[in-house]
Every structure is written in C-alpha cells, then in structure tokens.
Amino acid sequence: MTPPALSPLQASEQTAQETSAGISLPFDPLLTLAVIGLGICSALTLKVATAGTIPGDPHYFFKRQIVYLIVGFLAMLGVSRLDYGWLRRFQRPIYALLILSILAVLALGSETLGSTRSISLPGFSFQSSEIGKLLLIVFLSGFVVDRARRLRDRDTTIKVLALALVPTILVFKEPDIGSGLVFIAIALTILFVAGVPWRHIAAILLLGVIALTIVLAVAPALGVHLLQKYEVERLTGFLNPTAHVENKLVYQELQSKIAIGAGRQTGMAGVGSSEFGLVPERETDFIFASLSVARGFVGAAFVLSLYALMIWRGLRILSMAKDLYGSLIAGGVVAMLMFQVFVNVGVTIGILPITGITLPLMSYGGSSVLSTMLAVGLLQSIYLRARSTEAMKGRVLRW
C-alpha cells in the first residue's frame, strides 16, 4: 500500500527528527564549516608568507601544513565516532601519559631558540604540551565527575588545582609559559563548569595575582630576583615597548604591529616574501600578523569570525551534552580554544606579553593542528551523543 502523504508540517517534523538522529547530519555542520574554513585560511596564508623561507622549496610549509590538516581532519572524524564516555575508564593512564610525555621532552627534546619543547622525529616534531592540553581536559573532567557529590568541598578544588599544577610546572621548565597558562585556564574553566563555589575560584585568582606581584615587584624591591631581567621585560615590556626596544621579544612585538598596519583594509596588493620581512615567527606565533599583511583587516576579521563560530558551537555543545562528563570536556575544549585565540591575537597586536601560544588551526605545526582537531572531534562526539539521546526520546534538538 502507498503510505499516506504527509502534510508540510508533518514532513518538516519528520525531517527534523531524522536530522537529530544523525541520518542527514552526521556531525555539527557549522563547527565543521569553521574548521574547514580555518584550515583553508591557514594554508593560503602560509603559502604566501613563507614562499621564500626555505631555499629550493618555496612551498615547504604550505605542503606540510596541508598534510597535517588532512591527517587531523581524518582524526577528528574518527574521534567523533567514538563514545567519549569510554575515556573515563583510562583516567590514570591518561594522566600518566601526560606527565611522562612532558618529562620525555625535557630529557630527550632538542633545544630551539632557548627552549626545549619538542622531540624531533623523522618528518615530524612532537610537542608534548600541545597534546597534553587535551589529555589534561579528559583527565580533569573524569576526576571531577568521580567527585560530583563533593564539588562544594574545598578539598576537591585543591586536588583539581594541584593535579593541574604538576604538568604546568613541568612545561614552565621547558620553558613553555604559554602552554602552562593554557593548562591553568583549562583547570579553572572545568571547575567553573562543574559548579564549584565562586569563592574557591576567586581565591585561586587572588593567589595568582599575589604570586605575580611578589615575583615582579615585591621580591625585586627586596633584592631577590626570581626571574632573569629579560624574563621580566618579556612579561612587562608590552606596557611600554619603546623603553625596552633592545629586548628581542619586545622588538618582535613592535615589528608585528607595524606589519599589521601595513596590511590596511584589504592587504598589500601583489604581496611577496619581501613584504613579510617585518613579521617575526611568521608561520607560528605571529601567523595573525602574516594574515593581516596579506589580507588586511577584511581577512583578519573573517578569520576571527570563524573562531567566533567555532567557540559559539562549542558553547552550544556544552549546553547540549547529555551528562556532566560531556559538559566538562566541552568546557575545557572551549577554554583551550578561546584562551589561545585571545592571547595569540593579543600578543600580535601588542596588548599582551609574548607567551609563545599558537593560533589554533592557523599556526604551522603538526602537534598543534592534531591536538586541535582531536579536541574538535571530542566536541563532535558529544554533539552526536546528545542528538542521538534526544532522538531516542522522540524530541527534536535544535542546532
């Protein structure tokens, strides 16, 4: 028998239910669109900005970034098909892997520009702190869920903070200040999403301010210098860059701002490698300056809008999550992305001190691209499980 024709309203509801069940939308389309858009922008920017960097191979960074993006995208699709709840079974091994990977870099890593942040492998440079961000998110989320009935206890907050500080201190020793700050941002966000008392978070922030004041002001006034002179200038030089122009890092920040201004509204017409001479670390930490030179304000605004779309979808997935574990993972991933974008762009335009944080999916690097793609894959997994759960209940879950 021929099934009765559906009214337009019934057809619309049926389509929505099929969509929520994952039949027509196997992943979050807007989040995926943001990821693809950022990957394309990264490749195009690197192709122009690094054309003359490697003699004999003008597209060295471009070709390798394409490979990283493709591998990362496939990894994202693979992780999206996994049940993220399965990761809770391996909390201790995940934390052990996090610590051991950082220790391995400290022991076996190669030094670059005064820092030991990665291990050189054939055709690839492994940076443990990048993957460590994701490992910390997964571990702390599971740890907090296990103590869900004691979230208001001060003991829980102290333990979460202590567990986050161990890898933070280790990456500080590389030194990798940027990744350490990301670790702290992740821990604070997970505590916030879990619903710990506000006074706990306020106390942590206050202690942070006090510690920074002691290191930068009180101790030097007493004749105790906990940091080297160049390290102090690195942290404070952005406040008055012309007074510390002899400092290499402060000088790089000044060059970055000049380069961004040179891009004007739509970028420099016929931009070539010579126009990127002002941009320091043009393929990694200052990729946003490279983008601004080549595409101007319009290109920079477009990329920032893609990040806004990614972060919005992450927050939406956080609210959609079917359990606390999913919400905490989503919160940690959003914190990681938002903090890195804010700090990287802030450094580039001269409103924050240089910390060495990459711009997610834009900066060149296999470890950075892979860790971000895996994090997005976890968001997709949470999204799929949430829509599947609502579909089983006969509900339609809006985007």
Side-chain angles (χ1 to χ4, degrees), residues 357-380:
I357 291 181
T358 57
L359 192 58
L361 297 181
M362 282 292 296
S363 294
Y364 170 81
S367 297
S368 176
V369 170
L370 182 60
S371 65
T372 304
M373 286 292 195
L374 291 174
V376 174
L378 282 179
L379 289 179
Q380 298 281 19

Side-chain angles (χ1 to χ4, degrees), residues 37 46 77 81-82 86 126 144 195 219 262 270 281 294-295 330 349 359 376:
L46 288 171
L77 294 179
R81 293 298 182 267
L82 298 176
W86 174 74
F126 173 70
V144 170
E281 303 296 331
R295 308 302 174 190
I349 63 178
L359 192 58
V376 174

Side-chain angles (χ1 to χ4, degrees), residues 241-314:
T242 56
H244 303 282
V245 70
E246 73 282 355
N247 184 291
K248 181 180 178 181
L249 292 173
V250 176
Y251 178 74
Q252 288 180 345
E253 195 168 87
L254 285 172
Q255 295 293 86
S256 173
K257 291 192 287 185
I258 294 172
I260 291 174
R264 298 179 181 269
Q265 286 84 8
T266 57
M268 300 178 70
V271 64
S273 59
S274 61
E275 279 75 15
F276 289 92
L278 293 176
V279 182
E281 303 296 331
R282 66 189 70 169
E283 74 278 3
T284 52
D285 295 350
F286 288 89
I287 187 71
F288 189 76
S290 298
L291 169 70
S292 300
V293 172
R295 308 302 174 190
F297 174 81
V298 173
F302 177 72
V303 166
L304 290 178
S305 69
L306 290 177
Y307 281 121
L309 176 61
M310 176 184 287
I311 291 169
W312 168 59
R313 292 312 301 166

Side-chain angles (χ1 to χ4, degrees), residues 86-397:
W86 174 74
L87 295 172
R88 279 190 63 191
R89 305 176 185 177
F90 305 98
Q91 289 179 46
R92 292 184 178 180
I94 287 174
Y95 189 71
L97 178 61
L98 166 61
I99 301 301
L100 290 175
S101 63
I102 298 174
L103 290 175
V105 169
L106 288 171
L108 306 174
S110 55
E111 183 174 330
T112 303
L113 299 177
S115 300
T116 306
R117 301 183 181 181
S118 60
I119 297 177
S120 297
L121 301 173
F124 182 74
S125 181
F126 173 70
Q127 189 169 347
S128 63
S129 58
E130 291 292 340
I131 304 298
K133 298 168 188 175
L134 186 59
L135 296 177
L136 184 65
I137 290 171
V138 173
F139 167 74
L140 287 183
S141 297
F143 181 82
V144 170
V145 170
D146 289 344
R147 300 177 65 90
R149 295 185 178 181
R150 291 174 285 174
L151 289 177
R152 302 191 66 83
D153 294 350
R154 183 174 56 185
D155 180 62
T156 297
T157 301
I158 293 175
K159 286 185 177 180
V160 170
L161 190 61
L163 289 168
L165 284 176
V166 173
T168 299
I169 293 172
L170 290 176
V171 297
F172 276 167
K173 289 181 67 64
E174 292 181 358
D176 186 356
I177 297 175
S179 294
L181 294 176
V182 176
F183 286 178
I184 294 173
I186 288 170
L188 291 177
T189 302
I190 287 177
L191 287 172
F192 172 77
V193 174
V196 302
W198 275 99
R199 63 181 181 275
H200 292 184
I201 297 178
I204 294 172
L205 295 176
L206 179 60
L207 288 174
V209 172
I210 293 174
L212 192 61
T213 303
I214 292 174
V215 170
L216 296 179
V218 177
L222 297 175
V224 179
H225 298 280
L226 300 175
L227 298 177
Q228 299 293 328
K229 180 181 178 182
Y230 80 92
E231 293 176 320
V232 175
E233 291 180 353
R234 177 177 182 173
L235 294 174
T236 62
F238 75 102
L239 297 173
N240 187 12
T242 56
H244 303 282
V245 70
E246 73 282 355
N247 184 291
K248 181 180 178 181
L249 292 173
V250 176
Y251 178 74
Q252 288 180 345
E253 195 168 87
L254 285 172
Q255 295 293 86
S256 173
K257 291 192 287 185
I258 294 172
I260 291 174
R264 298 179 181 269
Q265 286 84 8
T266 57
M268 300 178 70
V271 64
S273 59
S274 61
E275 279 75 15
F276 289 92
L278 293 176
V279 182
E281 303 296 331
R282 66 189 70 169
E283 74 278 3
T284 52
D285 295 350
F286 288 89
I287 187 71
F288 189 76
S290 298
L291 169 70
S292 300
V293 172
R295 308 302 174 190
F297 174 81
V298 173
F302 177 72
V303 166
L304 290 178
S305 69
L306 290 177
Y307 281 121
L309 176 61
M310 176 184 287
I311 291 169
W312 168 59
R313 292 312 301 166
L315 292 172
R316 176 63 179 137
I317 291 171
L318 186 157
S319 66
M320 290 168 54
K322 66 178 184 178
D323 53 26
L324 178 60
Y325 188 52
S327 295
L328 294 176
I329 290 178
V333 171
V334 170
M336 180 186 79
L337 296 174
M338 186 182 298
F339 188 82
Q340 289 189 217
V341 171
F342 175 74
V343 173
N344 181 278
V345 175
V347 167
T348 304
I349 63 178
I351 64 172
L352 291 173
I354 296 177
T355 54
I357 291 181
T358 57
L359 192 58
L361 297 181
M362 282 292 296
S363 294
Y364 170 81
S367 297
S368 176
V369 170
L370 182 60
S371 65
T372 304
M373 286 292 195
L374 291 174
V376 174
L378 282 179
L379 289 179
Q380 298 281 19
S381 175
I382 297 167
Y383 172 86
L384 287 174
R385 300 315 176 274
R387 294 187 71 85
S388 177
T389 300
E390 293 301 314
M392 292 174 62
K393 298 177 181 178
R395 301 174 183 172
V396 176
L397 190 58

